[in-house]
Structures are given as C-alpha cells and as structure tokens.
Amino acid sequence: MKWTIAVLPGDGVGPEVTKLAVDVLDSTAKIFNHELNTDYYDIGWSAYKNHGNPLPQETLEGCKSADAVLLGAVGDPRGDELPPELRPERGLLALRKKLGCFANIRPSRLLPCLAKASPLTLETVENTDLVIVRELAGGIYYGEPTGITESGDTAFDTMKYHRDEIVRITRVAFDIAMNRKKKVVSVDKANVLSSSRLWRNTVNEIALEYPEIECSHMFVDRAAMELVMNPQGFDVLLTSNLFGDILSDEAAAVVGSIGLLASASLNEDGGGIFEPVHGSAPDIAGSGSANPLAAILSAAMLVRQTYSLETEASLIEDSVEAVLEAGLRTPDLDRRGPTVGTETIGSAVSHHILQQTL
Ligand code: IPM
Ligand code: MG
C-alpha cells in the first residue's frame, strides 16, 4: 500500500519527536512492504517565522491532499507578543477547523511496567484504561464574539454549541464505547452553563439510540477529582473542547506522563490529524530529552485509522511496550534515573520493529 503523509513537525520538541515517529513509520513500511511518502510543511511559530502566517496556504493544501497528517507540536514563547490571529496555536486551531476535525480521541491506559511512573498508588491506578472523546471544532475555542474591549480592561470569550455539533461527537463516543466496556460518562457543567444543559439533553437523546450503553453525566469539577481518585471507574469520557483539553492532561499524568499520550483528531470521513497530546515544551527543546513515544503512538493510531492496518499498528504499539519493558526511560518517566534520550528510545522502537520476521 502507498502511504502519503503530510508531516508537520511544528515547534519546540515537535521536530525532535516527529523525526522518531517518521523513522518508526519508515521501519514499519519496510517490514510490511508498504511505500512511505512524506511531505513536510510548516505550522505554528516556525510557519510564522518563514511565511508570516501560522497556517500557510501551502500547508493546508498539502494536508488536504495527503492521506493523513502527522503533527509534532505548536507553540513558542515568542508567539506571546503576536496579535491573536498570528499566534502559533492559531495555526493548529485553524488546521483542525479547516480539515473538519471535530472528534479528538485520546486514549489513556496504564502499562503495567510503568505503574511506578504514575504519581498515584498502584492500587488506585491499576487497570486504568480510558478514552477521552473531546469535541474539537466548537465550544469556547471558536465561539464568537471574542476579544478585548477598547479600554483594554474587559475581555470575553463565548462558549457556544449547536445541537448538531453535540450529536456528532456523542455518536463518536458511543460508537467507541460499543467496542469497549459500553460505559460513557459525559462531562459538563450543567449546573451553571446553558451550553452544558443543551449538551446534557442532547447526549440523553442520542443515548436512546444505544440501549446497550450505560450512560451517565458528571460535572467537570467532580470528574477532575474522580480521575485521580478512581481512574479505573472510567471507560469513555465524552466532553467539550475546553474540558477535554484540561482533563486529557490530567489523564496523561495519571498513567505516568504526558509524554506517552497519543491522539487522533478525526473528521466526518475518518481522516485527520494525528498528534501527541503534549505541547512544544520549549523548556526542554533541543536538549534531546523529550519523550518521542506519544508521537510514535500517534503514528500507530494513524496507521490503524487511515489504512485499517491493525497488524502494523499493533506492532508499533507492542514495540513501544517492549522498549519500556526492557527498562528504557526518558526523564519524564523516571525522575531519579538512569534515563535515556529521545533518539535512544525512539530508535529502540524502530529496531524492535525491524527485528520482526513476518
Ligand atoms: C492540545 C493543546 C492545544 C489545545 C493547544 C496547543 C492549542 O493543548 O492539543 O491539547 O488546546 O487544543
Ligand atoms: Mg492540551
């Protein structure tokens, strides 16, 4: 099979982790006789620097014509000085919107060999295996009006949802739950927010179409607490753009490190952007210590989702697990060490893949 992938390394640690993820795709393609074609494009701060725009037209066109997009990270402290429409993050938000990526899937599973990396006790975190389904194309991230008054002393953002936006993300969450433990917890703030009340009512309506699914609702503050007290209790968490952003970083920490969390941002056709949940981490960029496993696991999601190649995707995931089981750790996974760098752990995954005899 021919794979045509648009690669957007982005900013900070993005290029470092993306390189290892592409190496892993390359090794996987080799082993299974696929042809890998990668086209590189700028996004975020690097795109602003080179083209004066965080999402250049060329990047957007390149992403549209590829089978899928593999993205590193966006964000740079120098972007803080820019007007809102030129900030690096705007490049990513515009790309998600323009590609119609409304469903962000963020799985969090505790690997037994990483139990010690979690800040929680083994008893609490054991068997944690959940998926956050985050609405990605609406809510307060995109609501109008937004801005700051002329006097500069008042600023506002609008949290807005249309029923149709809630319907489509709810169906994604329920469909995922059908292949799992059939439990959906929808997270909102319906005791305070109108948009959350519409969210809750709409989820209840769709739940009627899925009688096998056990559907319940939880306020976001309670969900934040439950995630650290009883993460095993969750199967699928369905939530809005902002709440999903916050809870997915928390879920990452629960299972060890945000350096491990992969995600898929999907459109109506099931295509999309595959990106680690972590950001550009400017503090460690260039130090060679970033964890590339989230980017590598995002590449595995890409292969499974875009090409329906389960064996290839599983081999990548199993190889990640194998190098962790062999004891390799980047600093985010072990504060006391000894640890290895980005290249070492990433190339160990590629090496493991290439050793397979099919
Ligand atoms: C994420 C990130 C982004 C988001 C930022 C970089 C715009 O935090 O993917 O979780 O808020 O969606
Ligand atoms: Mg985030």
Side-chain angles (χ1 to χ4, degrees):
M1 197 184 273
K2 188 171 169 185
W3 298 352
T4 303
I5 300 173
V7 182
L8 278 51
D11 308 323
V13 298
E16 303 162 42
V17 297
T18 308
K19 176 188 175 292
L20 276 310
V22 172
D23 286 352
V24 161
L25 282 172
D26 199 38
S27 309
T28 311
K30 254 193 207 106
I31 279 275
F32 290 94
N33 280 319
H34 300 296
E35 184 191 328
L36 173 66
N37 290 291
T38 47
D39 296 305
Y40 285 76
Y41 302 97
D42 284 332
I43 191 164
W45 171 257
S46 53
Y48 171 74
K49 228 176 33 191
N50 296 336
H51 315 267
N53 180 348
L55 178 64
Q57 194 59 27
E58 190 196 335
T59 301
L60 182 61
E61 296 304 326
C63 291
K64 280 186 176 160
S65 60
D67 303 334
V69 179
L70 181 70
L71 187 132
V74 298
D76 188 287
R78 287 165 286 184
D80 293 346
E81 311 302 324
L82 295 172
E85 64 282 6
L86 293 177
R87 286 187 65 107
E89 293 79 5
R90 268 299 173 90
L92 177 58
L93 298 184
L95 182 69
R96 288 172 176 168
K97 191 79 172 174
K98 296 216 153 131
L99 296 183
C101 297
F102 70 95
N104 187 215
I105 320 295
R106 300 188 155 181
S108 251
R109 183 168 70 92
L110 182 79
L111 298 177
C113 67
L114 283 183
K116 275 211 232 121
S118 172
L120 305 179
T121 60
L122 178 62
E123 203 190 353
T124 309
V125 75
E126 220 173 11
N127 301 320
T128 295
D129 180 1
L130 58 90
V131 179
I132 295 183
V133 177
R134 168 189 178 197
E135 199 290 325
L136 200 64
I140 198 166
Y141 272 55
Y142 296 95
E144 295 287 344
T146 174
I148 186 155
T149 55
E150 234 163 77
S151 58
D153 60 4
T154 307
F156 45 94
D157 297 286
T158 305
M159 171 121 52
K160 195 186 279 183
Y161 268 113
H162 188 282
R163 185 183 174 279
D164 295 348
E165 293 174 298
I166 306 169
V167 167
R168 63 180 184 175
I169 192 67
T170 302
R171 290 220 167 94
V172 171
F174 278 62
D175 287 340
I176 290 175
M178 284 302 284
N179 293 315
R180 296 175 48 95
K181 288 185 232 137
K182 299 193 169 60
K183 259 174 61 181
V184 174
V185 176
S186 174
V187 176
D188 62 34
K189 189 72 185 172
N191 50 344
V192 177
L193 304 174
S194 300
S195 56
S196 279
R197 287 189 282 273
L198 179 68
W199 181 280
R200 194 174 275 222
N201 292 338
T202 309
V203 170
N204 279 336
E205 243 177 73
I206 302 303
L208 298 174
E209 296 171 17
Y210 294 81
E212 286 167 70
I213 302 269
E214 181 194 325
C215 172
S216 59
H217 303 272
M218 200 178 276
F219 296 136
V220 62
D221 44 356
R222 172 70 190 270
M225 184 180 80
E226 283 295 322
L227 256 180
V228 289
M229 302 223 354
N230 182 25
Q232 311 108 320
F234 290 113
D235 179 24
V236 175
L237 275 149
L238 161 65
T239 193
S240 60
N241 207 341
L242 180 63
F243 298 161
D245 178 48
I246 299 167
L247 293 179
S248 54
D249 273 31
E250 190 187 352
V254 165
V255 297
S257 163
I258 198 159
L260 290 172
L261 241 69
S263 89
S265 304
L266 306 179
N267 59 28
E268 302 270 9
D269 311 321
I273 310 169
F274 297 82
E275 42 178 326
V277 170
H278 65 72
S280 57
D283 52 327
I284 59 162
S287 70
S289 64
N291 186 344
L293 298 182
I296 291 172
L297 291 169
S298 299
M301 287 181 94
L302 184 158
V303 166
R304 176 179 291 115
Q305 177 68 34
T306 312
Y307 305 112
S308 303
L309 294 171
E310 180 55 40
T311 316
E312 283 80 340
S314 298
L315 176 59
I316 298 174
E317 288 163 353
D318 293 348
S319 302
V320 165
E321 227 171 306
V323 305
L324 288 169
E325 257 156 29
L328 296 190
R329 298 283 183 272
T330 40
D332 56 306
L333 293 172
D334 191 341
R335 259 159 260 128
R336 273 161 304 187
T339 58
V340 298
T342 314
E343 278 284 337
T344 305
I345 199 163
S347 37
V349 176
S350 277
H351 185 71
H352 191 269
I353 290 169
L354 291 171
Q355 271 180 336
Q356 305 303 304
T357 40
L358 300 174

